Amino acid sequence: MEVIKNNEGFEAVNSNPSLLRKVVHLDHLMVTIIEFLNGPMEVQDPPHQHVHEQITYVASGSLKLFVEDREYLLNEGDVFKIKSNLNHSIQTLTEYVKLVDSFTPLRKDFI
């Protein structure tokens, strides 16, 4: 299917109805859209890392991004990039945050 409509394809992450993710991919290209409906977060998510390179567009809301020992304040329209194997996490600052993530290679754990 070439077209995925705005309200199609979202699934709860780890059965959490306040965290929704849509995964769209081809053989070598992946985009995910994640919606946080439970903000603002009191504390940041636990840091994590992965071998995948990541570029994320902040489509809606505000958040703090933590990368290794650095902290950034991001708002709608901002973009961030994460190199492979860097510790990173976020903390939402608004009730609703929508992120558009791109990963390479494909996140097989999301498919």
Side-chain angles (χ1 to χ4, degrees), residues 14-59:
N14 298 324
S15 300
N16 181 347
S18 295
L19 187 58
L20 303 175
R21 179 170 54 216
K22 179 190 302 194
V23 177
V24 181
H25 68 89
L26 294 166
D27 293 336
H28 306 285
L29 179 64
M30 169 180 267
V31 171
T32 68
I33 301 166
I34 189 157
E35 294 184 333
F36 298 83
L37 308 173
N38 59 349
M41 295 176 174
E42 292 183 23
V43 297
Q44 75 186 70
D45 276 343
H48 68 280
Q49 61 175 277
H50 41 73
V51 299
H52 314 85
E53 292 182 326
Q54 175 180 348
I55 295 177
T56 299
Y57 172 73
V58 181

Side-chain angles (χ1 to χ4, degrees), residues 3-10 20 22 33 35 96 98:
V3 174
I4 297 90
K5 299 298 256 178
N6 181 49
N7 60 348
E8 296 175 344
F10 280 98
L20 303 175
K22 179 190 302 194
I33 301 166
E35 294 184 333
Y96 177 74
K98 183 177 191 175

